[in-house]
Amino acid sequence: MTETYAIISVDPRDETRSPTALTETTSTRVAELCAAAAAAAPAFEAAGRAARAGFLRAVATELEAGREPIVTTAISETGLPRPRLDGELTRTCYQMRLFADVLDEGSYLEATIDHAADTPMGPGPDLRRMLVPIGPVAVFGASNFPLAFSVPGGDTASALAAGSPVVLKAHGSHPATSALCFEAMRRAAAATGMPDGVLGIVYGQQAGAELVADPRIKAVGFTGSLSGGKALLDIISRRDEPIPFYGELAGLNPLVITEAAAAARGESIATGLLTAVTGSAGQLCTKPGLVFVPAGAAGDELTAAVRARLGELDAQVVLNERIRDSYNEISAGIAAAGGVETRTSGGPPPSQGYWVTPAVLEVRAGSLPTAVTEECFGPFAVIARYDDSEQLRTALDGLPASLTATIHCEPGDDELTEALSDLLRAKAGRLVYNGFPTGVLVSWAQTHGGPWPATNTQHTSVGTSAIRRFLRPMTWQDAPAHVLPPELRPGPAAIPRRIDGRFELPE
């Protein structure tokens, strides 16, 4: 790439275009950043868990100090409301500090020691194993979470916690926000003495492709569309050295409402459902896109309540032109495949900006059109009316996998709930009961993943075990004590370890 182009920031509410001081990253600069990350990797690992924990806590402090300009800029680039973005920044700072706690606690290392001893297979050597950093990681920012799945997001936090330098690909929908967050993180790195090259950032689609192709990059974290993920996988397939690609990609996130639940809680379920479908203009990867409602009076009342609330909504702004056009095309295609569509009564979208009209489509579960199984990113959902539990299970069995699946049930539904849980466990990374899947808590027990096409990995991208993606196992056999990592050396340790098969807590 020999030419560079100025990066323009676009306000999706009215398409106002504002120049920035940023330019698309050249091929030479991409290579320099990757080389710097590779050079920084040994020193970053050697800095140790305590230093990296301090770095992550400093990142949180710097982001909080820059809250006002960061959130204000994000509003102008995404159209998302201030409370949503304020909460997102708070979440991001929390997860930085949580991963610092993960480093302090240390069990993520899976430190294991088997002392030399006689075994049924003969004399055994001294073996000491733990997880070590995989090396420099490329992280692609997501459009829909400019502060929690982007430059300072969960992929970045978990990779840095693992001891892997990160080269970021800023998303084109919020370049100025990305730059502000990156500068805050870079200040934190300098203040805590992290090595040069531990953080880098590139701008532009071509620069992102070159980043993934660079041989010094050892893993990729990506949150985005299925087509975008496949494009990066194609690049990886052409590398001499294949590397892990951790993609969080797509999902219908089916939601099932039993007849008893519809009868007992129809009004409240309808309210919560529409909030989940239209919150953040439906631009959440956990949005329930396909909702199974029983036929009959209780289901009729619930569906009528959804329609009534939908009719009170106006058009909503989405993040960029591509999302708007894709939403209009896919929702129209699903509607054309069959069903009764209900749109809002708030009038047409504004002529300027990237606005869409929320919509709900009703179909019969016994004859689901193939188009219904395609994710429609935005404030759109399909209600599938089912006649009985057998028809429901048949319809669910034919769906692709998702990040989540949800069941609304009542105590008398135990047998059906158990059957649905068994079926849906194979199709989701998280099962939700009597709630809604939007809102993904960052915690020790969280899973944000699932079978293809939700993701292409067995790991989670949210929660403390997300760190596992950027680590690899390493064993030292009969090693002198001085070459071992501190966590594996003889004597007491400050972290949990498994020694000769027994799990031991720190003294």
Side-chain angles (χ1 to χ4, degrees), residues 88-172:
E88 191 179 328
L89 185 59
T90 297
R91 167 201 172 105
T92 295
C93 294
Y94 168 75
Q95 69 183 349
M96 292 289 176
R97 294 186 173 113
L98 179 61
F99 275 106
D101 294 341
V102 170
L103 289 169
D104 290 341
E105 190 266 350
S107 65
Y108 78 95
L109 291 169
E110 299 179 13
T112 306
I113 298 173
D114 292 332
H115 288 107
D118 290 332
T119 76
M121 296 186 295
D126 183 277
L127 297 173
R128 298 177 186 240
R129 175 192 184 274
M130 70 179 228
L131 302 180
V132 300
I134 199 170
V137 172
V139 170
F140 282 68
S143 64
N144 58 336
F145 280 91
L147 305 177
F149 279 86
S150 196
V151 167
D155 285 352
T156 302
S158 54
L160 292 174
S164 294
V166 173
V167 183
L168 295 142
K169 161 60 174 67
H171 198 282

Side-chain angles (χ1 to χ4, degrees), residues 224 226 247-251 401-404 427-429 449-457:
L226 183 60
E248 190 266 274
L249 302 172
S402 294
L403 294 165
T404 72
K427 292 180 173 290
W452 179 269
T455 67
N456 70 322
T457 171

Side-chain angles (χ1 to χ4, degrees), residues 43 49 89 134 137-138 141-142 198 201 221 229 254 286 293 302 308 324-326 334 356 359 424 426 434 462 488 491:
R49 294 180 294 113
L89 185 59
I134 199 170
V137 172
V198 73
I201 191 167
T286 53
V293 176
L302 190 154
R324 181 199 63 187
D325 293 347
S326 176
I334 294 174
V356 300
L424 291 171
N434 297 322
V462 178
L488 293 180

